Amino acid sequence: MVPEDSRKSSLSRTKKDCTPTCHIRLSLRSLTNVSIYELVETDLYRKSGNEEPNFRHSNYATSDISTFLNVLKSSLGSGLLAMPSAFMNAGLLVGFLGTLLVGFLCAHCTYILVKSSQALCSQLNKSHFNYPETSEAAFQCALKGKFKKYSTIAKQVTNIGILLPSYGVGIIYVLTAAATFKQVFENYTGLCYGMRWYVLLMTVPVMPIGTIRQMKYMVPFSAVANLFLLVGVSLTLYFTASDFPALSSRPLTADLNRLPLFLSTVLFGMEGIGVILPIENAMKNPKHFLGFTGILNCAMTIVVSLSLTMGVFGYVKFGDAVQGSITLNLPDTILAQMVKILVALAILCTYGLQTIAAAQIIWKVLQPKIAKEKEDFVYYTMRVLIVIGHVISAAVIPKLAPVISLVGALGLPLLGLAMPALLETLTFWEDGLGPWRWRLWKNILLGLAAVVALVSGTWVSCLEISEAYS
């Protein structure tokens, strides 16, 4: 294991003072970074001067195919099953065009984030930065250090931007699994219990999965989840395509005041920007990540296509009766019930992976204050409390659709739109930001869009939750 001091960022050093940094290794041993993967430095790769890390010599560096699959996985999950609900809040035409627009914005903001991070790494002779470190570096280097005093704040804001949706995803996973098992149980037994009882029962399966510390023990769960989710999504599309109604049976637009719910849900469904930099950092050929035919564009094309397909088919099939997860609308046949169970099991199996980011951010704050001999006890206590927090939060608000919108509105506009725009502006300010500073004006618009999505999405989602209990 690399000593702790060698992992700490030394962004305050000048370019001349920066020692050559080392290549990144993808390790599945322990969880000490903010990202899903532990990225540690090895002596297998060194760069000097302004040389870019175009090729990384390591047995642990990921191939282009592996990177492509990782990007897909980061952007596809339970949010895909919520796309029909998003279309219900926008209408068929507005939903289709809006999904294309949001998909383009997500891909663009991910692109400029990675590009900014690569430029800062080259400037500071670093092999890699994660998202919070990129924010810190941009503020330290911009305009010859004029914003250096805000670098720590920028890093913490980014951490909060990662923490909020990560914590919210845990709540959504508990709600989705609970709603699915409730529906299946009631269908076969005829016994009806309140949703909150099923939420509380979810403590039994999520507690052991949610407290796993070693990544290697999560790999089997992740593999099973991928298989279950693939089968579940495929069969869900089969059910929605059966006896498909005419497109004209659904409205092209919906009430304007429901548009924020649409935007928040689509952002939740497609945004995986929090783990993009760790994925890019682990690439063997990082230059293949960006570009017109790069891995990012290819992966996002598939993500947007699947989101459109699920949204259109699910909404046209079930209309305004569509629920927060499309699987809850499937019929009561044996095959459909199996699909529901497969999806619920897939969600439970990935619960631990999806909640690691929140745990790691909190642990990085707690660890320096804990005595060495008490670290394990405090760490597992923290993980248990996070799981309990997810369950209690889900029990307080057992409504899936508005919770998905609220999670999408609270963290993702900041993390996925505003911060990448700000970092690009700071990183490339001295380069002129293009003719007539068009990048500056573009990023201002992105920032305004993020503020509108944050405020309106949060407000409307809270109103939806309030109306559910009024």
Side-chain angles (χ1 to χ4, degrees), residues 180-232:
T180 301
F181 286 121
K182 177 180 185 295
Q183 195 177 77
V184 173
F185 181 78
E186 291 180 354
N187 181 61
Y188 282 100
T189 65
L191 300 175
C192 296
Y193 297 98
M195 177 66 176
R196 289 184 173 88
W197 288 109
Y198 290 91
V199 170
L200 294 176
L201 285 174
M202 287 301 102
T203 308
V204 177
V206 301
M207 184 62 75
I209 297 174
T211 53
I212 295 176
R213 187 171 188 174
Q214 300 290 339
M215 178 70 78
K216 64 181 179 181
Y217 298 129
M218 293 186 184
V219 172
F221 291 100
S222 181
V224 171
N226 288 338
L227 176 61
F228 285 177
L229 191 61
L230 176 62
V231 174

Side-chain angles (χ1 to χ4, degrees), residues 118-237:
Q118 290 178 347
L120 290 166
C121 286
S122 178
Q123 182 178 347
L124 294 172
N125 269 357
K126 291 291 181 179
S127 61
H128 73 281
F129 283 136
N130 60 27
Y131 200 160
E133 290 168 347
T134 299
S135 300
E136 184 182 30
F139 274 80
Q140 288 199 354
C141 297
L143 297 174
K144 299 179 181 179
K146 289 184 179 180
F147 297 106
K148 185 176 181 179
K149 61 182 179 180
Y150 302 111
S151 60
T152 302
I153 297 176
K155 184 176 182 179
Q156 296 306 321
V157 168
T158 307
N159 276 328
I160 293 173
I162 296 173
L163 176 63
L164 288 177
S166 176
Y167 184 82
V169 165
I171 300 173
I172 291 169
Y173 274 36
V174 171
L175 280 175
T176 304
T180 301
F181 286 121
K182 177 180 185 295
Q183 195 177 77
V184 173
F185 181 78
E186 291 180 354
N187 181 61
Y188 282 100
T189 65
L191 300 175
C192 296
Y193 297 98
M195 177 66 176
R196 289 184 173 88
W197 288 109
Y198 290 91
V199 170
L200 294 176
L201 285 174
M202 287 301 102
T203 308
V204 177
V206 301
M207 184 62 75
I209 297 174
T211 53
I212 295 176
R213 187 171 188 174
Q214 300 290 339
M215 178 70 78
K216 64 181 179 181
Y217 298 129
M218 293 186 184
V219 172
F221 291 100
S222 181
V224 171
N226 288 338
L227 176 61
F228 285 177
L229 191 61
L230 176 62
V231 174
V233 169
S234 300
L235 290 175
T236 299
L237 286 174

Side-chain angles (χ1 to χ4, degrees), residues 351-365:
Y351 172 82
L353 282 173
Q354 294 295 336
T355 57
I356 283 176
Q360 290 171 341
I361 291 173
I362 297 172
W363 181 240
K364 288 187 73 174
V365 176

Side-chain angles (χ1 to χ4, degrees), residues 54 64 283 285-291 293-296:
N54 299 330
D64 289 358
M283 283 188 68
N285 298 291
K287 273 205 164 183
H288 295 175
F289 192 80
L290 301 179
T293 58
I295 290 172
L296 175 63

Side-chain angles (χ1 to χ4, degrees), residues 79-98:
L80 179 64
L81 302 174
M83 285 304 299
S85 174
F87 271 64
M88 179 186 66
N89 292 315
L92 202 55
L93 178 61
V94 175
F96 186 89
L97 297 178

